Amino acid sequence: MQPLNASAGVDIQEFLENGFSVKEHLASYLSLSAADVAERLPQSTEDLAAMHPGAFDPERAADFYEDTVGTGHLFELAAWHLSSADYIADTLRLQQQFAHGDVLDFGGGIGTHALAAAGLEGVRHVWFVDLNPQNRAFVQDRACRLGLQERVSVHRDLDSLPGRRFDTVVCLDVLEHLPDPSAQLMEFHRRLTPGGRALLNWYFFKGHDGEYPFHFDEPQLVEDFFRCLQSRFLELFHPLLITTRVYRPLENV
């Protein structure tokens, strides 16, 4: 893959073809062969879910994502991005439309959106935030390979960025993993600049047969989330038929 840069923009077709070379990046980062990566990707979701019964405590969700999942999360996310490429490509198109200035990619996983945002002309810098140290190291490695190391910085949490405000917040497939997603919405509201934009989605559902064991779905949590969302943000229309929504923060609330 050729290095991304702001003047060239984001080649979404390249994402559709190879996920921004994610298989090659995984092999290099983990010192594996292409065959090893190809063998691990199909079983990655089951491998991660198998950790749930003994390792996932809802009261210590942050510890699970930071200390337990390790490199397994890299494979699970890469497999999902490759198998859901059409949907994720639409989220990249949405990001192209709204991302500008200083961008926060919160819980950014393997860095697809952070790297794509860093290649947009209207973006100054991308702050990639993720609890998993393997994710952070992998995204830093990918940014260097793509010539974006000056435009992407990696961080464990927002506490490490005191006072930093953002023109764009991207938080995809994360809120359902948080024990208090309403508090995270409030933090986004505080951090967004006037006229800022937030790209958000959520899926508060454990599945019909428990296939999403890491998701929170308590009715009161979900109700509190929507009350908070509707009181702090105004949804903006976009024509893409996807679950990701775009919001601007309401002022004086």
Side-chain angles (χ1 to χ4, degrees), residues 41-170:
L41 283 173
Q43 64 190 42
S44 58
T45 299
E46 290 78 9
D47 290 344
L48 192 66
M51 296 181 183
H52 173 262
F56 185 71
D57 177 357
E59 299 298 321
R60 303 185 62 189
D63 293 339
F64 178 78
Y65 290 111
E66 184 164 17
D67 300 326
T68 304
V69 295
T71 59
H73 204 214
L74 296 178
F75 283 97
E76 192 268 343
L77 289 172
W80 180 68
H81 279 225
L82 291 169
S83 65
S84 304
D86 289 339
Y87 171 80
I88 294 172
D90 272 345
T91 67
L92 294 174
R93 294 183 181 99
L94 191 66
Q95 182 175 257
Q96 276 187 314
Q97 181 178 349
F98 289 98
H100 65 285
D102 295 320
V103 175
L104 167 65
D105 183 12
F106 185 82
I110 56 173
T112 296
H113 291 83
L115 299 171
L120 296 175
E121 187 172 3
V123 168
R124 282 189 296 271
H125 191 81
V126 178
W127 281 263
F128 171 92
V129 172
D130 199 288
L131 283 175
N132 188 327
Q134 291 289 347
N135 290 1
R136 296 196 301 271
F138 181 53
V139 170
Q140 187 68 66
D141 184 73
R142 297 188 80 191
C144 291
R145 293 178 184 280
L146 298 173
L148 295 170
Q149 63 271 25
E150 300 300 321
R151 295 174 62 84
V152 178
S153 55
V154 301
H155 309 270
R156 177 190 181 275
D157 51 41
L158 285 173
D159 289 342
S160 65
L161 298 168
R164 170 63 60 186
R165 300 189 73 186
F166 304 99
D167 303 296
T168 311
V169 169
V170 179

Side-chain angles (χ1 to χ4, degrees), residues 6 63 183-184 205 242:
D63 293 339
Q184 195 60 60
F205 184 51
I242 56 177

Side-chain angles (χ1 to χ4, degrees), residues 7 31 33 90 136 145-146 175 182:
S7 60
S31 300
S33 68
D90 272 345
R136 296 196 301 271
R145 293 178 184 280
L146 298 173
L175 290 166
S182 298

